[in-house]
Amino acid sequence: MHCPALPEGFDFTDPDVYQSRVPLPEFARLRRTAPVWWNAQPHGIAGFDDDGYWVVTRHQDVKEVSTKPEVFSANLNTSIIRFNQGISRDQIEVQKLIMLNMDPPEHTRVRQIVQRGFTPRAIRALEDALRRRAEQIVEEARHRGSGDFVTDIACELPLQAIAELIGIPQEDRARIFDWSNKMVAYDDPELAITEEVGANAAVELISYAMNLAAARKGCPSKDAKDIVSRLVAAEHEGNLGSDEFGFFVLLLAVAGNETTRNAITHGMHAFLTHPDQWELYKRERPGTAAEEIVRWATPVVSFQRTATQDTELGGARIKKGQRVGIFYSSANHDPSVFDHPELFDITRDPNPHLGFGGGGPHFCLGKSLAVLEIDLIFNAIADAVPGISLAGDPRRLRSAWLNGVKELRVHYR
Ligand code: HEM
């Protein structure tokens, strides 16, 4: 079905589109005219034997797909929609070892174990350490006078948060950060990260984490507070094997870093282009701000599922085996759910955005940690560099599924 409102050949996972913008006007047209739309990829993608995928644009339909794992599988073709760089079937098989790409009951077993590391108590236990980190990061930026907000501020706290959570020793953190950074952004030629460099970094990170798990299994830390002890060595029902732990750390490094980094960067840019909201934030620090920042940023534009049976969704007939893209960016601008979705309003309440997923079994495990990080960093910025101002336009990341910014020049004073 060609949508007359869209240019012929338009693809909602074309990294060139996202290098300049998120296609919000195109999403709006689809929500009005063809809310579940067939995005043809007539030339196919290496590793796939299909010729396109469905684009799901409405809030209610994104939720429906997310909450029906028996109909919409995260496992068959994994969760990331690919554009033209392709992927081999072998690579797809390896990626199925990550929980984001598992279906129940396997997913349920792993999720129940890893959830122990993300209880409200576990996250609260990190708060003081992360607050100090946030203040230190902003203080260092202030001394520089001006610089790139992404590297100076947005990158650092998410990396530190994951390192704290896992209990990675200080002296190993630089290596972990280097591997994590190399694993993302393979679509952007400017970053010169070849697939091989990314894959090697992933292998190194996994083996580092496996060694950490193996060591802790033999000698659990005394208070067993760190996540490694809790997941692999604690006396609970069911534990992760060292290899499973390795893949879990890999997922944390991808899922918890770039996402939070971009939420913080887009949030800062939104504040600096909506000065009334920045003034309001500095004055009142509303507890609703972090959620609106995530809605506004929607760092993960889309994920995909694959239909396990013929089914119907939003008026479209989906065939067994077809891929279905759930577009969180579109859902988060659906006017049937949000009053004036085009407004950045840090007091928005309620705010049922789908930036952390559509509420199904894969709903973001790190949501509380992400919200805490966003709160801590903007409080630190508002306290230490309230006069922060823009020194240039954001430079966007070339990516098929991340709403990313790689550089944002600012003056801190
Ligand atoms: C603003 C920051 C973040 C955003 C926007 C975000 C977004 C998402 C989304 C959209 C999903 C998939 C949901 C679904 O398929 O239904 C997800 C899953 C996940 N996220 Fe996050 N995330 C963020 C931060 C984090 C952090 C800080 C961590 C951990 C340190 C984390 C760990 C995970 C994990 C492990 C999963 C997979 C869960 C599963 O498969 O069961 N995320 N996230």
Side-chain angles (χ1 to χ4, degrees):
M1 190 197 335
H2 176 63
C3 175
L6 292 180
E8 185 80 40
F10 191 85
D11 191 320
F12 281 92
T13 48
D14 182 348
D16 284 336
V17 171
Y18 294 90
Q19 184 152 36
S20 57
R21 67 196 178 93
V22 177
L24 293 180
E26 288 82 355
F27 286 137
R29 266 174 246 160
L30 287 192
R31 281 194 307 269
R32 281 195 305 269
T33 59
V36 179
W37 179 72
W38 181 252
N39 188 132
Q41 293 183 313
H43 307 299
I45 304 182
F48 286 83
D49 48 15
D50 57 18
D51 58 358
Y53 61 92
W54 293 97
V55 176
V56 179
T57 56
R58 287 193 307 204
H59 190 276
Q60 69 183 65
D61 295 334
V62 171
K63 270 172 74 174
E64 182 169 343
V65 172
S66 305
T67 49
K68 283 190 176 165
E70 65 291 353
V71 182
F72 299 104
S73 159
N75 184 251
L76 289 172
N77 286 306
T78 67
S79 294
I80 293 182
I81 315 184
R82 292 177 180 81
F83 187 60
N84 54 5
Q85 87 272 26
I87 182 167
S88 71
R89 271 284 146 191
D90 285 351
Q91 282 170 304
I92 292 184
E93 289 311 311
V94 174
Q95 294 193 2
K96 290 183 178 180
L97 298 169
I98 295 174
M99 70 185 290
L100 184 68
N101 302 321
M102 290 176 187
D103 286 337
E106 201 189 359
H107 174 263
T108 320
R109 180 187 73 84
V110 177
R111 176 97 185 190
Q112 271 167 0
I113 299 173
V114 298
Q115 237 152 237
R116 287 184 213 145
F118 287 81
T119 58
R121 210 164 134 222
I123 302 305
R124 263 200 313 277
L126 300 175
E127 189 168 338
D128 288 341
L130 292 181
R131 177 174 298 108
R132 279 194 300 275
R133 291 266 174 211
E135 287 167 359
Q136 195 186 341
I137 290 166
V138 175
E139 194 50 33
E140 279 166 21
R142 192 176 73 85
H143 279 291
R144 278 187 207 117
S146 60
D148 172 23
F149 183 84
V150 179
T151 41
D152 293 346
I153 294 189
C155 284
E156 191 65 14
L157 194 62
L159 285 164
Q160 291 289 356
I162 293 168
E164 286 290 336
L165 186 76
I166 304 174
I168 292 179
Q170 251 343 302
E171 63 273 19
D172 292 346
R173 291 194 180 182
R175 276 195 298 160
I176 301 284
F177 293 180
D178 184 45
W179 294 327
S180 304
N181 284 331
K182 282 185 176 144
M183 277 177 334
V184 288
Y186 45 81
D187 272 340
D188 195 323
E190 192 188 285
L191 300 178
I193 306 286
T194 62
E195 257 182 61
E196 200 189 343
V197 170
N200 286 343
V203 170
E204 297 204 66
L205 181 65
I206 291 175
S207 39
Y208 174 88
M210 282 169 66
N211 287 335
L212 200 64
R216 216 53 72 80
K217 252 187 215 276
C219 172
S221 65
K222 267 202 210 91
D223 52 4
K225 257 199 199 135
D226 67 281
I227 195 175
V228 193
S229 301
R230 260 187 241 199
L231 304 190
V232 303
E235 301 273 316
H236 287 278
E237 219 176 284
N239 283 327
L240 293 186
S242 298
D243 50 345
E244 283 181 309
F245 183 75
F247 278 97
F248 178 58
V249 171
L250 177 78
L251 174 60
L252 289 187
V254 178
N257 265 324
E258 191 101 359
T259 48
T260 319
R261 168 192 308 181
N262 283 308
I264 293 171
T265 306
H266 284 296
M268 192 72 252
H269 187 251
F271 275 131
L272 296 178
T273 49
H274 299 76
D276 59 317
Q277 295 294 300
W278 186 225
E279 290 310 315
L280 176 67
Y281 183 79
K282 286 189 282 188
R283 222 171 38 241
E284 294 180 16
R285 314 286 169 107
T288 43
E291 296 279 0
E292 176 67 349
I293 287 171
V294 175
R295 183 191 74 87
W296 185 258
T298 316
V300 179
V301 174
S302 63
F303 273 143
Q304 76 176 2
R305 302 289 189 262
T306 300
T308 60
Q309 52 189 260
D310 290 356
T311 187
E312 214 178 300
L313 181 76
R317 283 177 192 284
I318 294 173
K319 291 210 189 74
K320 179 177 175 179
Q322 284 183 331
R323 289 181 294 131
V324 176
I326 35 184
F327 283 76
Y328 306 117
S329 299
S330 178
N332 285 348
H333 282 84
D334 188 336
S336 69
V337 175
F338 300 100
D339 283 341
H340 292 290
E342 74 289 357
L343 295 182
F344 177 59
D345 171 7
I346 57 169
T347 61
R348 193 183 286 281
D349 187 22
N351 191 345
H353 71 83
L354 307 185
F356 291 113
H362 293 280
F363 186 77
C364 179
L365 182 66
K367 177 192 164 169
S368 319
L369 181 58
V371 167
L372 175 66
E373 289 177 49
I374 295 168
D375 271 339
L376 291 176
I377 204 77
F378 282 106
N379 270 298
I381 295 169
D383 288 341
V385 288
I388 184 169
S389 61
L390 277 177
D393 289 333
R395 288 185 55 240
R396 292 180 54 85
L397 182 73
R398 184 177 185 278
S399 168
W401 60 282
L402 274 168
N403 180 18
V405 170
K406 56 188 174 192
E407 189 182 27
L408 180 67
R409 308 295 307 178
V410 294
H411 300 297
Y412 297 110
R413 284 178 286 185

